[in-house]
Amino acid sequence: MDKNRKVFRLIGDLVKEYRGRANLTLTELSEKTNLSHATISKIENNCVQRPNPRHLLTLAEVLGIPFDQIIGGCINYVRNPEMLNFLLDKAITHKHHRLIQKISEKILECTRMDTFQALDGLYQYAGLVKDVKIQVLLYDAILKYAREHGTPVYLARALFQKYLIKRKDLSRREQSYNEGKELLHYLLYLHENDQVIALYRLGLQAFSLKLYSECIEFCRKGLSKNQEVSELQASATLATCNSYLFLEDFILASVYLKEYEKFNYTYVQENAEYLRAIIYSKTEDYRKAIPLFEKCLERSKTNARIPIANDLLNIFLKMEDANAARNIFHQEVAILPAKIETPYMFDQVGLYYSLKGKFLIEQGMFDAGIECLQMSIQYYGEIGAYSEIIENTSLIIRSHVVHGKMLNLEVLQELDSLYNVIIRKK
């Protein structure tokens, strides 16, 4: 009780102090707030054991009292679920993260509500919040409480929703992927449809991180559970096929290619032809691969051209066909995507500039080649592709040594700038 009284005195003192700063009498403040003279006087003199938070917020708004100062104290004594939800609304409006966390924990600890009722209420509420950072705070509060009180259903649900949010941060893909894999321990506590989505999303993210065996594991598990045809299912089948291609298991790649062709989406046939071209390329049947790649490149939309161009460039550079490679680079404006949104596209644009940089250096256009390699590092930096960043940085340094060039200050400054940007995102 003494501790609470100290808090109330502080609230009363705060209101009185800010009223003095505003040079308002009790009567004037009463008129501005529509609160009675007596109510304000009792609050200021600490005569109200548990001041109504709505009254305090009204006074704070008129007097300019900081939100956290006026609300921070009353959180300790509010027990009513409706009032706690009201305070949470206000904390979210003010984007006050510390208070959001504190009020969320208070809601979950509220003895007037059943545990599952409190968890479900906060979980449903979190799903309606637009600010993703605040959503994560709310899911973190659910996770903390669910871990401590052994409620795996809401632990699984909060992990799932948090993963779906965090995986969108392209610069922290590896971190969100590793955190997301905790879901696998609680997968059975999710609704079956969410289980499938979780497995597909983990599989697709594994593919973007070039963890092909893990991609296959997750996507195949999802495919074995999935009964409903969807574009996400098609993407998982495509990723599985591609993963087998990268692992050079062309038999299973062909099996999943046939499965992929069964999907009735307009883009599937074009993708299937592209996959066949990749299989030809991987088996070094360039006579079949090149015309099929060129056909795909000609009819594909702008945002889908870059990976096809990269495949052709890889073939032409292996064949040492400089004219064919140069012809691809001349189509750059038509090849590069107008908008880059996915990790895969950042990776492909990074690869394009890396291939172009190596080609230009070999063709004697040293400065232009180094500039392309720097651009490659920049695109790889957007998705935290650190091995590719290191490879291209090493190539820049080696190229200077091999060609007897001094690393000029401008190149060093550019590399340092790129490095600092990438480290901040890490």
Side-chain angles (χ1 to χ4, degrees):
M1 181 63 74
D2 289 341
K3 181 179 178 182
N4 284 340
R5 286 189 182 282
K6 183 179 179 182
V7 170
F8 303 150
R9 279 200 302 274
L10 287 173
I11 289 175
D13 293 344
L14 197 63
V15 173
K16 188 178 290 185
E17 177 190 338
Y18 273 83
R19 181 169 66 81
R21 290 186 191 184
N23 197 27
L24 293 173
T25 64
L26 280 171
T27 301
E28 288 170 335
L29 183 56
S30 174
E31 290 173 354
K32 287 179 176 290
T33 60
N34 289 323
L35 297 176
S36 71
H37 185 292
T39 296
I40 299 172
S41 178
K42 286 177 181 178
I43 289 173
E44 286 191 352
N45 291 292
N46 308 300
C47 296
V48 184
Q49 194 175 39
R50 297 185 176 186
N52 187 321
R54 294 179 188 274
H55 293 167
L56 295 177
L57 283 170
T58 300
L59 290 167
E61 186 176 345
V62 171
L63 296 174
I65 305 173
F67 175 79
D68 59 324
Q69 290 187 39
I70 200 71
I71 290 302
C74 66
I75 291 172
N76 294 316
Y77 62 79
V78 174
R79 298 288 184 271
N80 183 286
E82 289 184 9
M83 184 56 73
L84 286 169
N85 285 323
F86 168 76
L87 293 177
L88 182 58
D89 281 338
K90 294 297 181 182
I92 288 174
T93 299
H94 285 79
K95 297 189 176 182
H96 199 292
H97 290 186
R98 183 181 62 81
L99 285 180
I100 291 169
Q101 185 177 10
K102 191 172 180 180
I103 297 167
S104 298
E105 291 173 356
K106 195 81 174 177
I107 288 171
L108 294 174
E109 292 165 1
C110 182
T111 56
R112 297 188 185 182
M113 281 195 292
D114 173 77
T115 296
F116 282 94
Q117 181 188 1
L119 282 166
D120 191 65
L122 191 60
Y123 177 78
Q124 298 298 334
Y125 182 92
L128 300 174
V129 173
K130 302 298 182 185
D131 188 314
V132 293
K133 289 183 179 178
I134 293 174
Q135 274 191 312
V136 170
L137 282 175
L138 297 173
Y139 290 130
D140 277 339
I142 293 169
L143 284 171
K144 181 173 180 286
Y145 188 88
R147 289 187 205 281
E148 292 173 352
H149 293 79
T151 50
V153 170
Y154 285 95
L155 177 55
R157 291 180 181 180
L159 280 172
F160 176 58
Q161 296 298 337
K162 184 179 175 183
Y163 170 65
L164 293 181
I165 294 169
K166 301 282 277 186
R167 66 184 294 278
K168 292 179 182 177
D169 185 345
L170 302 185
S171 65
R172 290 181 170 83
R173 290 180 304 147
E174 190 170 350
Q175 180 185 338
S176 66
Y177 175 68
N178 289 328
E179 290 175 357
K181 285 198 287 186
E182 186 186 355
L183 254 175
L184 300 172
H185 301 296
Y186 304 97
L187 207 59
L188 293 177
Y189 293 100
L190 291 175
H191 184 277
E192 190 168 324
N193 187 54
D194 288 342
Q195 291 180 36
V196 172
I197 292 172
L199 288 166
Y200 284 163
R201 291 300 182 195
L202 283 166
L204 292 171
Q205 193 172 19
F207 180 80
S208 77
L209 291 166
K210 302 181 181 179
L211 302 171
Y212 302 121
S213 294
E214 292 183 31
C215 170
I216 290 167
E217 178 189 356
F218 295 139
C219 287
R220 286 185 63 172
K221 283 182 180 177
L223 291 166
S224 69
K225 289 174 176 286
N226 195 190
Q227 302 297 321
E228 190 175 322
V229 175
S230 68
E231 291 197 64
L232 188 56
Q233 183 189 34
S235 296
T237 307
L238 178 62
T240 306
C241 177
N242 273 315
S243 293
Y244 277 122
L245 282 174
F246 281 108
L247 295 174
E248 299 189 349
D249 188 334
F250 304 121
I251 294 174
L252 283 175
S254 298
V255 169
Y256 278 90
L257 175 54
K258 288 178 182 177
E259 289 299 313
Y260 180 66
E261 287 179 300
K262 293 177 183 177
F263 290 96
N264 191 27
Y265 297 115
T266 54
Y267 52 80
V268 166
Q269 190 54 45
E270 289 184 21
N271 288 344
E273 286 191 351
Y274 175 50
L275 287 169
R276 283 196 202 92
I278 292 174
I279 292 174
Y280 290 144
S281 175
K282 292 285 185 180
T283 54
E284 298 187 355
D285 190 348
Y286 299 144
R287 184 177 59 83
K288 290 182 180 178
I290 291 172
L292 199 49
F293 275 136
E294 288 176 337
K295 179 183 176 183
C296 292
L297 184 63
E298 184 180 347
R299 72 183 185 188
S300 62
K301 295 179 180 177
T302 303
N303 279 7
R305 288 175 186 159
I306 189 70
I308 306 170
N310 285 338
D311 286 315
L312 280 168
L313 284 171
N314 272 314
I315 292 174
F316 294 145
L317 294 176
K318 282 181 183 177
M319 296 172 63
E320 297 183 354
D321 190 339
N323 287 331
R326 198 175 288 113
N327 182 52
I328 296 293
F329 292 128
H330 286 163
Q331 301 176 57
E332 184 170 295
V333 173
I335 286 169
L336 289 175
K339 192 173 183 181
I340 307 173
E341 296 178 310
T342 65
Y344 178 69
M345 294 306 289
F346 275 108
D347 177 74
Q348 288 297 311
V349 175
L351 174 59
Y352 172 82
Y353 280 113
S354 180
L355 292 171
K356 185 178 180 181
K358 293 171 189 174
F359 175 80
L360 291 175
I361 290 170
E362 288 173 2
Q363 296 296 307
M365 291 174 274
F366 186 84
D367 291 339
I370 295 299
E371 186 178 342
C372 283
L373 291 175
Q374 289 173 319
M375 291 177 70
S376 175
I377 291 171
Q378 190 170 358
Y379 282 103
Y380 281 134
E382 291 293 327
I383 54 172
Y386 300 113
S387 60
E388 286 82 358
I389 292 166
I390 292 168
E391 181 183 339
N392 280 289
T393 303
S394 299
L395 181 57
I396 289 173
I397 296 168
R398 285 200 312 274
S399 297
H400 278 81
V401 172
V402 169
H403 290 80
K405 301 273 189 179
M406 292 289 291
L407 269 168
N408 63 51
L409 183 60
E410 186 178 343
V411 173
L412 286 170
Q413 286 176 334
E414 180 65 22
L415 287 174
D416 182 63
S417 175
L418 288 171
Y419 173 79
N420 287 327
V421 169
I422 291 163
I423 287 300
R424 280 198 297 272
K425 291 182 176 182
K426 192 172 181 181

